[in-house]
């Protein structure tokens, strides 16, 4: 929360629990002509306004290179993409009145002078009080000139929040770097003009209700946390699969790959929330501290036998929902000899007291059978098989499994054994199932709604801190380097998998060697 | 009967449960009655199964077991997951209220699985095939049915149970004991009484069972009834020593309906200049439609409580003098409640047309906007804006008050002050404050 909170003295606010409203502010979106602004950002802001979560003094300023009818486009976008549709004309009359646009090159200092004058006008007209959120939703190469020019134009207030003056916060979209070196450089650029607490590195997965629920599940229930360690947990599997391919993003994806696109950010964030120690408080600093500890405890993978620990694959031709789909190398924008991975399976260990010896198996990929994000926790078996079948075979040796489903069909289920009714003892697995959709009967907010609101409130808990990002890049860059070395020597073949399958055989073998199998989520 | 073992013994349609009556699940119920099905099928379709009042638990156990067995078959169109977050006692007086109750329960059960104990007080004795005839000759009928929701795949998910106890002129002695025996352990109990201004004989006996007492001030209709409700609640709960048990949480659906007005009005006073103006308030004026006086009184009560203003006297019908009693308001002010015919001005969704607070030359206003469910907000310190206000069905409000929305201590304070305003009005011998503009 910002330090200057006028609402504290408003007696009518007291007791109105359940809604948080930020200070008046203006949000400047760089890259406003892009898809993200249209599909996610402005519809999310409109929904926040509709839910009475935005202050009266609020304005959006779009900025991009070319001239566009921004307000009209945003009206169309809200009508098409907002969670609450159709657009409410009455609300739009006041929400739309706060939308404006400035065309300019991101590396042109004059554009920032125009922006500065424009924001001063908005402060006077809409009472935004000098508070600013700058949302950088541009290709990564524009991050540096935008930050530099914002600083040079005096648009960033570096006074600590709470000192009474207006505040400035900057949201930076992913990718935050492409490897450790580029991430360090970008971080250094940010820190030249901003304090760490002004930087909101966004990972929209953290805005999902089910991801946040991992913390509630672990730390608000007394029964699970005592079991949450190597004494009771056999292994953990994190799966993020997508049925779709690269959807016309060949140029981007071929430079990126699954490790950069999914693992370094989203999956490592899940893993941190799942594995971290209880923070001393549910606030940004404490949560980030614990996440960093998990990343620091990740055992480095042996680069000389990287393929045993990090299996990569690339999809071949196959079928998606019965329709033939091309191989990755046949996709538009992809090099015909590309060695970019569209699938990855990792075997990780977190070397600390809690997780000693517990393997974390991670897999992510495109063109898999279905879209699933889940964490599967397999518990250790009972120490002794009490129940035996007529032939003496051991019964009841199936482990308990707790699955935290992030998407779709968000929820939690627990598999345990139960006696089949009848005269004999026959244990059979049954599941207890909790589903978000049917248990609360309310539609969860879009991830961007939550994250934009949190940023305006000055709450960075669901964003990533600089040291987290660097630590995860440190780990991933070693893998990338090992792969690059292998590519150069062409010693490691790139396994392929059929589109619509669960990945290459090598990934299955990685678990088979450990006497385990992948879950079928 | 015995759940599922005997030939079909589906209860005749309980009075009023016909498609014409607007019952949301009439189709399923009708389906249940139309085809030759047994009690288990009827149960899983949501039809009411007549049971003996002293065999309710046994019948339910059998029905759930049989239903779960059938859900295992490959062609089953339903799943069975028995769940319960609350015991929920709901009372209906007469057929009209009973229809409302059925609809409310069906919709509410989609979000909050609960053991529903529906007490249906019929207006007159019926000659019926009642399962049990009481000593006094009053028939007490009982039926059970399943509540369910649609899963994402469209399957019917049978998850909770509803027990209806039906009798003419319910007698407290018999009823309270039976209800107590049917309350599930380890889950809280909510008691919904639509209009607690009425002196129900059974209410003082059942009230102590409740962890949360719920009513709907919008059904009260007048300030006098609101005052009566407050007095009854005082007698039921507040005048009794807690005796070590937790204080009962009192929740009002009408209060939850006022939430958008309150949050929007509060937002007008976020700028420091506006907060300052609030301390120098001259007047509060609330326009409401006829019959919505309770909403206006609750709104006034909330403002008085928050601003530390106490009602002193009534200077004219609908006009009260207020004096500062706390640390916020710094000077005396005036409260005016104005009742208007609903058609003259837009009244939003809770019967409030507008709220205006004046402080010197500054006017802060929230007004219902015609032809759309929106509130227009005016302040000298903020841009004017229009904010949609979504009407929420009673079932959603009920779900809200069964969550954190039902724990709002400000509600009872607003009710107290609203009742106090009516009390001053009565003492002054004034009318109901229905001044027309």
């Amino acid at each position: 929360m910002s330090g200057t909170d006028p609402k504290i003295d408003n007696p009518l606010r007291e007791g109105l629990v359940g809604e948080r409203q930020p200070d008046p502010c203006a949000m400047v979106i760089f890259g406003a002509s892009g898809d993200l602004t249209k599909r996610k950002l402005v519809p999310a802001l409109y929904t926040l306004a509709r839910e009475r979560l935005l202050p009266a003094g609020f304005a959006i300023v779009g900025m991009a290179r070319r001239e566009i009818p921004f307000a009209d486009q945003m009206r169309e976008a809200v009508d098409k993409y907002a969670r609450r549709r159709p657009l409410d004309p009455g609300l739009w009359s006041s929400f739309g009145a706060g939308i404006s646009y400035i065309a300019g090159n991101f590396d042109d200092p004059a554009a920032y002078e125009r922006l500065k004058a424009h924001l001063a006008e908005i402060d006077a007209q809409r009472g935004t009080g000098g508070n600013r959120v700058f949302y950088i939703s541009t290709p990564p190469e524009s991050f540096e000139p935008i930050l530099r020019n914002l600083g040079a134009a005096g648009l960033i207030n570096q006074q600590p929040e709470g000192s009474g003056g207006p505040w400035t916060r900057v949201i930076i979209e992913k990718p935050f770097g492409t490897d450790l070196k580029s991430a360090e450089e970008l971080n250094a650029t940010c820190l030249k003009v901003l304090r760490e607490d002004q930087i909101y590195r966004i990972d929209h997965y953290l805005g999902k209700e089910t991801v946040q629920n991992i913390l509630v599940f672990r730390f608000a229930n007394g029964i699970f946390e005592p079991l949450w360690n190597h004494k009771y947990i056999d292994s953990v599997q994190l799966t993020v699969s997508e049925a779709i391919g690269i959807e016309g993003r060949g140029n981007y994806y071929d430079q990126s790959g699954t490790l950069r696109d999914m693992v370094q950010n989203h999956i490592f964030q899940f893993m941190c929330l799942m594995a971290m120690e209880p923070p001393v408080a549910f606030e940004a600093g404490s949560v980030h501290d614990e996440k960093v500890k998990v990343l620091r405890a990740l055992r480095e993978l042996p680069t000389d036998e990287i393929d045993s620990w990090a299996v990569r694959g690339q999809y071949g031709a196959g079928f998606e929902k019965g329709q033939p789909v091309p191989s990755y190398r046949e996709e538009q924008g992809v090099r015909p000899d590309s060695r970019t991975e569209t699938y990855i399976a990792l075997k990780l260990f977190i070397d600390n007291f809690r997780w000693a010896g517990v393997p974390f198996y991670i897999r992510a990929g495109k063109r898999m059978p279905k879209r699933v994000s889940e964490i599967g926790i397999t518990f250790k078996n009972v120490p002794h098989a009490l129940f035996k079948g007529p032939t003496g075979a051991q019964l009841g040796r199936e482990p308990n499994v707790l699955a935290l489903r992030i998407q779709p069909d968000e929820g939690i289920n627990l598999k345990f054994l139960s006696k089949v009714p009848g005269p004999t003892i026959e244990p059979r697995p049954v599941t207890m199932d909790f589903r978000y959709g049917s248990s609360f009967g309310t539609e969860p907010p879009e991830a961007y709604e939550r994250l934009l609101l949190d940023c305006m409130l000055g709450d960075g808990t669901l964003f990533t801190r600089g040291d987290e990002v660097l630590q995860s890049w440190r780990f991933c860059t070693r893998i990338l380097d090992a792969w690059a070395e292998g590519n150069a020597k062409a010693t490691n073949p790139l396994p392929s998998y059929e589109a619509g399958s669960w990945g290459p055989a090598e990934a299955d073998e990685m678990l088979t060697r450990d006497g385990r199998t992948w879950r079928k989520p | 009967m015995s759940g599922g073992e005997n030939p079909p013994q589906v209860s005749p349609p309980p009075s009023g449960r016909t498609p014409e009556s607007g019952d949301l699940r009439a189709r399923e119920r009708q389906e249940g009655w139309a085809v030759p099905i047994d009690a288990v099928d009827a149960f899983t379709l949501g039809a009411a199964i007549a049971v003996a009042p002293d065999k309710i638990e046994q019948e339910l156990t059998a029905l759930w077991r049989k239903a779960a067995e059938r859900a295992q078959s490959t062609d089953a169109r339903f799943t069975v997951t028995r769940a319960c977050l609350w015991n929920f006692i709901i009372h209906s007086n007469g057929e009209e209220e009973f229809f409302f109750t059925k609809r409310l329960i069906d919709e509410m059960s989609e979000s909050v699985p609960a053991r529903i104990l529906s007490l249906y007080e019929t207006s007159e004795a019926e000659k019926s095939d009642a399962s049990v005839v009481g000593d006094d000759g009053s028939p007490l009928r009982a039926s059970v049915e399943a509540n369910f929701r649609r899963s994402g795949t469209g399957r019917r998910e049978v998850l909770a149970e509803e027990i209806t106890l039906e009798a003419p002129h319910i007698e407290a002695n018999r009823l309270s004991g039976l209800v107590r025996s049917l309350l599930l352990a380890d889950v809280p109990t909510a008691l919904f009484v639509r209009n607690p201004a009425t002196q129900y004989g059974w209410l003082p006996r059942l009230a102590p069972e409740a962890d949360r007492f719920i009513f709907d001030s919008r059904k009260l209709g007048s300030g006098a009834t609101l005052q009566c409700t407050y007095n009854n609640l005082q007698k039921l709960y507040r005048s009794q020593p807690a005796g070590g048990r937790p204080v009962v949480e009192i929740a009002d659906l009408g209060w939850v309906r006022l939430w958008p007005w309150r949050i929007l009005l509060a937002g007008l006073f976020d700028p420091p200049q506006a907060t300052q103006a609030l301390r120098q308030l001259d007047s509060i004026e609330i326009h409401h439609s006829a019959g919505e006086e309770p909403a206006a009184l609750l709104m006034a009560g909330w403002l008085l409580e928050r601003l530390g203003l106490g009602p002193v006297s009534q200077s004219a019908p609908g006009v009260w003098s207020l004096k500062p009693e706390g640390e916020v308001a710094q000077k005396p002010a005036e409260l005016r409640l104005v009742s208007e015919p609903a058609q003259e001005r837009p009244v939003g969704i809770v019967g409030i047309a507008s709220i205006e607070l004046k402080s010197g030359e500054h006017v802060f206003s929230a007004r219902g906007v015609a032809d759309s469910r929106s509130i227009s907000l005016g302040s000298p310190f903020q841009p004017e804006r229009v904010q949609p206000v979504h009407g929420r069905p009673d079932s959603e409000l009920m779900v809200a008050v069964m969550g954190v929305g039902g724990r709002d201590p400000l509600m009872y304070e607003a009710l107290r002050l609203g009742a106090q305003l009516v009390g001053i009005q009565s003492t002054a011998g004034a009318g109901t404050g229905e001044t027309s503009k």
Side-chain angles (χ1 to χ4, degrees):
Chain A
M1 202 59 204
S2 67
T4 53
D5 190 351
K7 298 185 286 297
I8 285 172
D9 295 329
N10 178 355
L12 299 185
R13 280 279 177 199
E14 286 174 36
L16 287 176
V17 290
E19 291 199 14
R20 307 182 299 162
Q21 203 173 58
D23 297 338
C25 63
M27 182 174 290
V28 181
I29 303 173
F30 293 98
S33 57
D35 249 17
L36 185 73
T37 308
K38 204 163 40 182
R39 286 173 181 267
K40 296 289 181 189
L41 302 184
V42 174
L45 290 167
Y46 169 84
T47 306
L48 289 174
R50 196 183 164 105
E51 305 287 328
R52 302 184 295 270
L53 294 168
L54 285 189
F58 179 75
I60 300 171
V61 181
M63 189 167 171
R65 289 189 172 87
R66 56 197 164 92
E67 284 288 354
I68 52 169
F70 185 62
D72 293 343
Q73 284 185 359
M74 292 307 108
R75 184 184 170 118
E76 275 175 36
V78 165
D79 213 16
K80 196 169 172 185
Y81 299 116
R83 189 160 58 89
R84 303 267 186 225
R85 297 194 296 269
L87 177 142
D88 183 299
L91 173 62
W92 184 262
S93 67
S94 41
F95 181 79
I99 296 181
S100 57
Y101 184 79
I102 286 183
N105 281 327
F106 298 140
D107 49 6
D108 176 12
Y112 294 84
E113 291 303 324
R114 292 203 303 280
L115 175 63
K116 189 176 181 179
H118 184 62
L119 286 170
E121 273 176 41
I122 287 175
D123 283 342
Q125 288 167 5
R126 298 194 63 81
T128 42
N131 297 321
R132 314 272 185 253
V133 175
F134 294 109
Y135 197 119
I136 306 181
S137 169
T138 64
E141 57 270 22
S142 298
F143 291 177
E144 192 275 334
I146 290 172
L147 289 165
R148 178 168 36 81
N149 281 304
L150 283 174
L155 279 162
I156 292 175
N157 183 350
Q158 284 195 316
Q159 285 192 335
E161 291 191 7
S163 61
W167 46 256
T168 305
R169 297 167 194 149
V170 177
I171 302 177
I172 301 178
E173 263 293 337
K174 75 163 198 169
F176 197 88
T178 54
D179 55 19
L180 178 60
K181 183 168 178 287
S182 59
E184 281 175 338
E185 286 168 3
L186 179 55
N187 211 40
T189 301
C190 291
L191 293 173
K192 274 183 199 163
V193 290
L194 298 162
R195 294 186 316 275
E196 174 60 40
D197 68 316
Q198 292 179 293
I199 307 168
Y200 291 72
R201 299 171 191 83
I202 197 164
D203 180 339
H204 72 272
Y205 265 63
L206 289 179
K208 290 178 185 290
E209 289 283 319
T210 36
V211 175
Q212 296 162 43
N213 192 43
I214 295 171
L215 295 177
V216 174
F217 182 79
R218 287 190 58 196
F219 302 129
N221 292 297
I223 59 174
F224 297 108
E225 198 54 24
L227 310 179
W228 216 258
N229 56 55
H230 68 96
K231 288 180 192 159
Y232 299 98
I233 290 179
D234 170 77
S235 61
V236 179
Q237 291 188 19
L238 291 95
T239 301
V240 178
S241 66
E242 292 177 286
I244 58 171
I246 53 174
E247 304 292 292
R249 297 191 305 148
N251 287 326
Y252 158 74
Y253 203 87
D254 210 34
Q255 301 299 318
S256 170
T258 307
L259 182 67
R260 288 185 174 99
D261 193 50
M262 296 299 297
V263 178
Q264 179 272 330
N265 37 58
H266 307 320
I267 294 184
F268 273 9
Q269 288 296 323
F270 295 170
M271 183 184 69
C272 287
L273 295 176
M274 187 273 159
M276 73 186 199
E277 296 300 315
V280 292
F282 188 60
E283 48 88 29
S286 305
V287 173
H288 292 314
D289 287 347
E290 297 306 331
K291 282 159 68 181
V292 170
K293 285 182 199 166
V294 173
L295 292 167
R296 288 181 59 197
L298 275 177
R299 186 189 300 172
E300 287 188 353
L301 303 187
T303 50
D304 52 345
E305 48 182 82
I306 194 73
D307 293 336
S308 302
W309 297 79
V311 174
R312 56 179 166 157
Q314 197 181 69
Y315 63 81
F319 296 90
E320 185 200 349
K321 293 179 184 164
Q323 297 299 316
V325 291
S327 72
Y328 175 70
R329 288 178 179 175
E330 292 167 321
E331 299 270 16
Q332 199 178 2
V334 174
R335 293 162 292 161
D337 60 347
S338 169
R339 294 182 65 80
T340 302
E341 80 287 359
T342 62
Y343 174 95
I344 185 168
L346 291 167
K347 178 180 166 183
L348 307 177
F349 285 95
I350 298 169
D351 286 336
N352 62 17
F353 262 53
R354 184 187 282 263
W355 296 113
V358 178
F360 281 66
Y361 300 107
I362 285 173
R363 65 178 160 169
K366 291 194 172 290
R367 286 264 189 256
M368 292 173 77
K370 55 183 173 181
R371 173 175 165 259
V372 175
S373 300
E374 67 143 46
I375 302 173
I377 297 151
T378 303
F379 289 87
K380 287 185 174 167
N381 246 324
V382 290
H384 169 66
L386 185 62
F387 307 109
K388 294 190 170 55
T391 60
Q394 292 181 353
L395 299 174
R397 299 294 286 169
E398 277 199 60
N400 301 128
V401 178
L402 179 71
L404 310 176
R405 294 190 306 271
I406 312 296
Q407 65 181 16
D409 197 18
E410 299 89 341
I412 295 168
N413 65 32
L414 176 65
K415 187 173 85 171
F416 57 95
L417 291 167
S418 182
K419 179 185 174 299
V420 175
T424 58
I425 296 283
E426 184 191 343
R428 187 187 294 173
V430 292
T431 54
M432 282 206 301
D433 201 22
F434 153 74
R435 270 178 267 170
Y436 253 87
S438 47
S439 291
F440 291 113
T442 54
E443 196 185 353
E446 280 276 330
Y448 278 98
E449 291 170 26
R450 172 65 195 260
L451 295 172
L452 290 173
L453 181 64
D454 276 7
C455 175
M456 287 187 272
L457 288 162
D459 183 349
T461 309
L462 298 177
F463 294 81
T464 47
R465 203 169 61 186
D467 51 350
E468 273 177 72
V469 176
L470 296 183
Q471 194 62 42
S472 65
W473 271 126
R474 193 161 287 127
F475 186 85
C476 290
T477 300
R478 279 176 61 87
I479 300 174
L480 289 167
D481 288 346
W483 281 347
E485 198 178 323
N487 286 347
K489 293 180 190 165
T491 54
N492 61 338
L494 184 64
S496 195
Y497 62 99
E498 187 186 343
S501 73
W502 281 108
E506 287 84 345
D508 295 338
E509 286 162 15
M510 184 169 79
L511 266 72
T512 307
R513 285 196 294 273
D514 293 351
R516 299 185 178 92
T517 56
W518 288 107
R519 283 172 46 74
K520 295 280 185 283
Chain B
M1 65 168 280
S2 164
E5 300 293 350
N6 291 340
Q9 294 194 35
V10 178
S11 172
S15 38
R17 290 184 204 176
T18 63
E20 294 74 30
S21 308
D23 186 342
L24 273 188
R25 276 168 48 197
R27 198 164 171 183
E28 284 89 349
R29 294 180 207 287
Q30 199 174 35
E31 188 186 349
W33 307 323
V35 292
I37 52 174
D38 63 15
V40 178
D41 281 345
F43 182 67
T44 60
L45 286 164
I49 318 292
V51 294
D54 59 345
K55 295 280 192 294
I56 291 172
E57 291 289 10
Q58 294 94 315
E59 296 287 355
L60 275 171
T61 304
L63 284 165
W64 277 109
R65 183 169 50 76
K66 290 281 180 186
E69 276 174 18
R70 291 191 193 180
Q72 303 293 323
S73 73
T74 50
D75 58 345
R77 295 192 308 181
F78 61 92
T79 58
V80 172
T81 308
R82 197 177 185 183
C84 181
L85 296 175
W86 286 85
N87 292 301
F88 187 77
I89 307 169
I90 185 165
H91 170 257
S92 316
N93 192 3
E95 211 172 44
E96 192 182 336
E97 279 191 10
F98 187 65
F99 294 154
F100 167 84
T101 298
K102 296 305 292 179
R103 179 189 293 254
L104 180 72
I105 291 169
D106 288 347
E107 291 174 4
M108 194 187 94
S109 297
E110 300 241 341
S111 302
V112 183
R115 167 169 278 199
I116 308 284
L117 291 157
S118 176
L119 315 183
Y120 175 23
E121 193 170 356
T122 53
S123 52
E124 56 186 51
E126 297 172 21
K127 283 185 181 176
S128 75
D129 57 347
S131 310
V132 168
V133 176
D135 294 338
D136 57 0
S138 301
L140 171 62
R141 300 175 60 184
S143 63
V144 296
E145 60 191 277
N147 285 321
F148 51 81
R149 63 186 166 206
R150 297 280 172 198
S151 71
T153 58
R155 289 177 104 195
R156 187 200 311 267
E157 201 173 348
V158 183
L159 56 101
E161 61 218 9
E162 180 179 334
I163 302 165
T164 301
L165 303 174
E166 179 179 334
H169 311 301
I170 289 179
E171 293 191 25
N173 285 342
R174 187 193 306 177
L175 185 78
S176 53
L178 181 55
V179 169
R180 274 190 214 108
S181 74
L182 292 169
L183 294 175
L184 294 176
D186 296 326
V187 287
T189 297
L191 170 60
F192 177 55
V193 179
R194 197 168 283 101
N195 181 353
T198 306
Q199 298 277 358
Y200 296 111
W202 52 267
L203 185 53
R205 291 173 182 274
L206 276 184
E209 303 300 327
D211 300 286
R212 193 164 294 186
F213 184 95
I214 304 168
F215 70 104
D216 187 355
S217 60
R218 198 174 194 192
K219 309 290 180 198
L220 301 179
S222 71
T225 327
L226 183 87
Q227 186 191 28
C228 190
T229 294
Y230 172 73
N231 292 338
N232 284 352
L233 289 173
Q234 282 289 99
K235 275 187 221 152
L236 282 175
Y237 293 116
R238 296 299 155 114
S239 56
Q240 317 253 340
R245 66 190 293 272
V247 175
V248 173
E249 292 159 337
I250 298 174
D252 170 22
L253 300 189
W255 176 251
V256 182
R257 285 190 197 92
L258 288 174
W259 169 260
W261 284 96
R262 291 196 294 132
I263 190 89
L264 291 172
L265 199 65
L268 291 176
F269 297 95
D270 283 337
Q273 310 96 308
T275 310
Q276 198 52 40
L278 206 50
R279 297 175 192 283
Q280 301 295 326
L281 203 65
D282 295 312
S283 67
I284 302 168
E285 187 164 320
I286 301 173
H287 289 240
H288 62 91
S289 62
E292 298 282 3
E293 198 183 3
L297 284 164
L298 284 172
M299 180 57 77
W302 171 65
L303 285 167
L304 266 51
E305 197 278 337
R306 290 287 74 213
L307 300 177
L309 286 165
V312 181
S313 62
Q314 197 168 41
S315 51
V319 183
W320 288 263
S321 302
L322 310 171
K323 67 168 184 184
E325 290 178 339
E327 293 177 358
V328 180
Q330 306 290 314
K331 60 186 236 190
E334 184 181 84
L335 168 69
R336 182 181 291 263
L337 300 188
V338 183
S339 172
E340 323 180 311
Q343 66 272 23
E344 279 194 7
R345 293 183 65 179
V347 289
I349 52 162
V350 288
I352 288 186
S354 67
I355 304 169
E356 191 174 273
L357 277 69
K358 285 186 185 161
S359 174
E361 60 186 7
H362 302 309
V363 179
F364 303 84
S365 64
R367 299 177 196 285
V369 177
D371 72 22
S372 75
R373 293 188 160 183
S374 303
I375 294 175
S376 166
L377 298 156
S379 157
F381 306 111
Q382 288 174 342
E384 206 166 288
R385 62 177 171 144
V386 176
Q387 183 70 50
V389 177
H390 319 294
R392 296 166 76 187
D394 284 349
S395 56
E396 268 188 37
L397 298 176
M398 189 64 84
V399 172
V401 299
M402 290 171 85
V404 290
R407 292 182 191 146
D408 188 350
L410 286 180
M411 187 285 294
Y412 204 74
E413 281 306 292
L415 177 65
R416 179 183 68 78
L417 281 157
Q420 196 178 336
L421 288 167
V422 179
I424 291 172
Q425 182 171 265
S426 309
T427 312
T432 55
E434 299 207 351
T435 46
S436 291
K437 271 207 162 175

